[in-house]
Amino acid sequence: QVQLVESGGGLVQPGGSLRLSCAASGNVFGINAMGWYRQAPGKQRELVTVTRGGSASYADSVQGRFTIFRDNAKVYLQMNSLTPDDTAVYYCHARRTHDDHWGPGPQVTASS
């Protein structure tokens, strides 16, 4: 099993920045991808960014504003120029060959 623990998140004014962190523990050797999803109220969960094999991809809505970093069993999400549309619960995700794991999800709110 893999356990994911996130930190960061909170309230920020539009235009501000936040950094989320996620640490994986347990059987981390089989992890081949890590990333972040988000879910806003009344909407489906959506992929924000994923890193796999040293490369990263981003949703169009965050391209150029968000950056994902991975350091072994930790992954970070640097979020800049936040807007109210970025308000959501952000979930850390880790994928192994045969299963997926999720963190509990910190709330990120961009509001004045």
Side-chain angles (χ1 to χ4, degrees):
Q1 281 293 336
V2 174
Q3 294 78 43
L4 300 175
V5 177
E6 299 134 329
S7 60
L11 174 65
V12 64
Q13 290 192 342
S17 299
L18 282 175
R19 175 173 289 196
L20 303 180
S21 302
C22 174
S25 61
N27 189 0
V28 302
F29 289 107
I31 294 176
N32 51 52
M34 295 188 76
W36 295 88
Y37 286 69
R38 68 185 181 186
Q39 187 167 17
K43 295 186 177 180
Q44 290 188 332
R45 189 174 298 190
E46 63 175 357
L47 175 66
V48 176
T49 178
V50 60
T51 181
R52 178 188 299 109
S55 64
S57 60
Y58 298 88
D60 289 343
S61 59
V62 307
Q63 182 76 45
R65 300 187 298 120
F66 290 13
T67 305
I68 188 170
F69 303 91
R70 182 176 174 184
D71 179 12
N72 293 322
K74 294 182 179 179
V75 67
Y76 306 89
L77 181 63
Q78 177 65 41
M79 304 182 290
N80 298 328
S81 302
L82 285 160
T83 75
D85 288 341
D86 296 315
T87 296
V89 176
Y90 282 71
Y91 298 93
C92 180
H93 173 253
R95 172 163 292 168
R96 300 191 302 180
T97 302
H98 300 295
D99 53 29
D100 294 88
H101 300 270
W102 298 90
Q107 174 71 43
V108 172
T109 302
S111 174
S112 55

